[in-house]
Amino acid sequence: MTLLNKKIGVIGGGIGGLASAIAFAKFGSQVTLYEKALVISEVGAGIQISANGINVLTKLGIYPDYLKSVGFPKNIIFKDYKTDKAITEIQHNQDLNLPYMQLHRADLIEALVARAKSLGVNIVLGSKAKVINSGDSGSKIKVNNSEVFDFDLTVAADGMNSTVRQYWFGQRPSVFMKQIAWRALIPSNGMSIEPTVYMGINKHLVMYPLRNGKIINIIGVQSNKNLAPESWTNDGSPEKFYNEFSDFNTSVTNILSDITEVKLWGLYSHPTLKSWSHKNVVLLGDAAHPMLPFMAQGSCMALEDAAVLARVLNKINNIDTALKKYENIRKKRVTAVQKTSIKNGKFFHINNLILRKFFHITMLFITKFHPSFLKSRYNWIYNYKA
Ligand SMILES: Cc1cc2nc3c(=O)[nH]c(=O)nc-3n(C[C@H](O)[C@H](O)[C@H](O)COP(=O)(O)OP(=O)(O)OC[C@H]3O[C@@H](n4cnc5c(N)ncnc54)[C@H](O)[C@@H]3O)c2cc1C
């Protein structure tokens, strides 16, 4: 179907929902986006967007015009947690037209909202939405359990705990991976830090600067048997975070001691869904495929989903065929990225001391004698043009 003048409903005003609203509006659709929150705001955290995501942001007209305070790090350093010594350093291919950016999530959301509004997307806040019907001629969205609206197609981008997925796609329960993640931002107060991953035993910690170095973004992940909710907004205890990572070197613990507010969430694996669409409702982003964070690709995958979905729908007349095509293209890729992410998580947390030493020596060896291997290892992810 051509998307011109089609009525598209989008549920969820996160990165995936806003990107798909923009992609559909660019093809001339009349888009209404429902977000349950009263304001579209973002959790206080940094986000890394690799070239594959930047490609979509560029095509959607968001980058560079709408984005501010973006950092383009030259490299990321992997250090031993205890000695603070570098194990390896991976250079980003900024020079090879494969940019890699780090920015505040709120700045990305603000840019997406501004771009969506510029294209006439109707953003309706304070609207908890659900799909109550999906048939051959369209779908119906019920908002705040009262009003019902008709659409040619509904895109459900309502995140990893998607209610649309639970209702329409018979989701099986997710499984706690016995890993928890801590996330905090602190003012840098003039301290300059480089993007660094500290590799510990059964845990790792990532730090990078945001907003021209004014803020430090901190994420700590550890193996832990105690269940934590799958929610990015769950409060944690700064003292507990400090204690859990107190065996790290003082350049880390000094920074951790400045944290006054921290979020804590559990990492879960979600079973792959049999199908991402039902008649005229389709899942996108974390709603379709929640990602583990070890490749920093969840948002990039949602951006790619948005670009591919709008494109195939605009090109292929039969909606079932178009939605199947979207799913075929995207499922293969997100599954491969997800597998890479799981592997990465294992490398970050090796607890066998001999294996750990061997891994670090191998990394040092590769860095010294075959640096291009590390630089290009993920090019199949970053080079992709959705
Ligand atoms: C700390 C952290 C760091 C991360 N770092 C990176 C990174 O560096 N790079 C990267 O690519 N990815 C990263 N990710 C992953 C990435 O943030 C997610 O994959 C991405 O946000 C998914 O976007 P989404 O739009 O699918 O879902 P969400 O961002 O979860 O958006 C869903 C939206 O739907 C709304 N909603 C839910 N239910 C309803 C309803 N019934 N009605 C209306 N609205 C509803 C929610 O309020 C929310 O606004 C990170 C995640 C976290 C937690």
Side-chain angles (χ1 to χ4, degrees):
M1 64 177 187
T2 161
L3 289 174
L4 188 66
N5 293 327
K6 286 282 184 271
K7 282 182 75 185
I8 308 292
V10 177
I11 302 183
I15 292 164
L18 285 162
S20 57
I22 294 165
F24 281 95
K26 279 197 82 201
F27 280 118
S29 302
Q30 298 164 29
V31 186
T32 303
L33 181 148
Y34 299 103
E35 166 55 50
K36 69 176 178 187
L38 287 171
V39 276
I40 293 199
S41 62
E42 250 307 326
V43 290
I47 191 158
Q48 316 193 66
I49 303 287
S50 48
N52 48 318
I54 298 173
N55 169 59
V56 178
L57 292 175
T58 309
K59 294 272 157 58
L60 297 182
I62 296 146
Y63 177 76
D65 293 351
Y66 285 82
L67 279 174
K68 56 180 184 192
S69 299
V70 176
F72 289 97
K74 287 201 180 76
N75 54 4
I76 179 148
I77 304 171
F78 290 76
K79 287 185 169 180
D80 181 78
Y81 77 110
K82 197 130 197 151
T83 62
D84 204 15
K85 280 200 182 129
I87 298 161
T88 188
E89 178 184 317
I90 298 180
Q91 286 173 5
H92 291 303
N93 287 301
Q94 307 285 21
D95 51 329
L96 289 181
N97 211 14
L98 275 177
Y100 195 93
M101 56 162 84
Q102 291 171 335
L103 69 163
H104 199 298
R105 288 177 70 102
D107 296 341
L108 178 56
I109 285 288
E110 199 182 304
L112 287 162
V113 169
R115 179 66 177 139
K117 285 185 175 163
S118 80
L119 292 165
V121 172
N122 178 23
I123 298 178
V124 195
L125 300 174
S127 300
K128 193 166 182 188
K130 61 184 176 190
V131 178
I132 55 163
N133 183 280
S134 180
D136 290 330
S137 57
S139 42
K140 289 182 191 298
I141 293 181
K142 192 171 197 176
V143 178
N144 293 333
N145 273 331
S146 61
E147 282 182 290
V148 176
F149 301 93
D150 288 309
F151 292 96
D152 294 310
L153 176 80
T154 296
V155 179
D158 51 345
M160 62 190 168
N161 296 315
S162 165
T163 45
V164 176
R165 181 181 68 214
Q166 279 160 30
Y167 185 81
W168 286 95
F169 299 88
Q171 183 199 11
R172 283 175 289 146
S174 54
V175 179
F176 179 53
M177 298 196 61
K178 300 194 176 130
Q179 286 186 327
I180 54 170
W182 305 83
R183 173 177 58 74
L185 294 181
I186 55 162
S188 67
N189 295 326
M191 186 187 4
S192 145
I193 65 143
E194 290 186 281
T196 308
V197 179
Y198 289 94
M199 294 163 83
I201 293 171
N202 282 328
K203 54 194 157 187
H204 77 279
L205 198 124
V206 183
M207 284 189 202
Y208 56 86
L210 294 175
R211 291 196 178 145
N212 303 319
K214 291 197 184 84
I215 297 175
I216 302 174
N217 182 61
I218 304 158
I219 296 176
V221 182
Q222 64 176 135
S223 303
N224 190 307
K225 289 197 180 81
N226 300 329
L227 208 71
E230 191 177 25
S231 160
W232 305 342
T233 50
N234 181 51
D235 286 320
S237 144
E239 291 75 31
K240 193 124 197 263
F241 184 20
Y242 180 91
N243 289 339
E244 295 290 346
F245 287 78
S246 59
D247 52 343
F248 280 50
N249 67 80
T250 48
S251 62
V252 173
T253 51
N254 285 343
I255 290 176
L256 296 186
S257 66
D258 282 345
I259 294 174
T260 53
E261 203 183 297
V262 65
K263 301 291 175 195
L264 166 69
W265 80 103
L267 302 185
Y268 290 73
S269 81
H270 290 255
T272 309
L273 292 173
K274 274 207 186 98
S275 172
W276 289 3
S277 64
H278 175 85
K279 304 271 186 190
N280 286 300
V281 56
V282 59
L283 300 173
L284 181 142
D286 277 6
H289 47 73
M291 304 281 295
L292 289 169
F294 305 118
M295 275 303 296
Q297 279 295 316
S299 296
C300 294
M301 290 301 115
L303 289 168
E304 288 184 7
D305 285 355
V308 172
L309 179 63
R311 200 108 176 246
V312 294
L313 278 163
N314 195 52
K315 222 173 182 178
I316 300 173
N317 268 335
N318 181 290
I319 194 161
D320 287 342
T321 314
L323 293 179
K324 277 288 159 245
K325 174 111 187 162
Y326 156 73
E327 184 177 323
N328 284 341
I329 296 173
R330 298 305 303 150
K331 218 178 218 173
K332 217 161 128 196
R333 180 161 162 82
V334 293
T335 307
V337 174
Q338 185 64 284
K339 279 187 183 154
T340 310
S341 182
I342 291 170
K343 231 189 254 170
N344 244 3
K346 286 187 183 145
F347 285 141
F348 289 163
H349 287 197
I350 301 174
N351 60 6
N352 179 304
L353 291 184
I354 297 167
L355 260 183
R356 200 165 177 273
K357 193 80 195 159
F358 174 74
F359 178 67
H360 289 185
I361 291 171
T362 310
M363 292 292 273
L364 271 172
F365 183 82
I366 296 173
T367 312
K368 194 151 184 201
F369 297 107
H370 199 2
S372 60
F373 170 76
L374 289 178
K375 205 170 174 176
S376 57
R377 204 156 62 109
Y378 297 130
N379 275 3
W380 65 273
I381 298 178
Y382 303 156
N383 250 332
Y384 184 84
K385 304 268 186 281

